[in-house]
Amino acid sequence: MKFPMIYANERGETHFGVQDLPDREVAMGPPPNPTGQMSDFGAVTTMCVFSVPAGTAAPAHNAPQPYIVIVLSGEGEVLTSDGEARRFQPGELLFCNDLTGKGHMTRAITDLVLAFVNRARP
């Protein structure tokens, strides 16, 4: 499966890209066990839920560690240093891998509730 991500290139510019994770077919639940596709995000360390009111903006910052942000409710916008902006809505997620470089900015378009899932460092 392919998921959006933020990363920094060798010059420190942040960009949107794609995190491509292999998936596999697995059975879900008790018999008759319907099947679906599962991607393994790897080891995680902690998870927290964060909420902010509409209009909240965070200046340029780097991800403090590799994490995945999942929009639980509301709409948010992420701006990379190359000038690309993307909006994210409930159910969407973003891999944040810009541990170095110029970072990214975030803004709550509406009241926003996010889940941050911290990934183990490789």
Side-chain angles (χ1 to χ4, degrees):
M1 290 184 192
K2 296 178 190 247
F3 301 96
M5 68 176 276
I6 299 173
Y7 69 96
N9 67 15
E10 62 283 345
R11 293 186 326 269
E13 289 292 338
T14 54
H15 305 277
F16 284 102
V18 174
Q19 178 82 42
D20 193 1
L21 297 175
D23 55 8
R24 59 189 168 89
E25 188 170 305
V26 297
M28 181 178 92
N33 298 89
T35 60
Q37 298 298 311
M38 182 184 343
S39 291
D40 186 347
F41 288 9
V44 298
T45 58
T46 60
M47 178 180 152
C48 62
V49 174
F50 185 70
S51 63
V52 294
T56 301
H61 60 283
N62 295 100
Q65 65 185 52
Y67 67 87
I68 302 161
V69 62
I70 304 165
V71 179
L72 300 178
S73 66
E75 183 177 23
E77 182 178 68
V78 177
L79 176 67
T80 55
S81 69
D82 69 1
E84 184 177 356
R86 291 192 189 177
R87 290 192 175 188
F88 294 86
Q89 298 181 354
E92 294 184 301
L93 62 85
L94 176 65
F95 278 75
C96 295
N97 296 326
D98 60 332
L99 306 179
T100 62
K102 297 178 182 178
H104 62 278
M105 293 184 280
T106 55
R107 179 170 66 106
I109 305 300
T110 66
D111 291 349
L112 188 60
V113 180
L114 306 169
F116 288 92
V117 181
N118 294 310
R119 299 169 57 210
R121 288 186 184 261

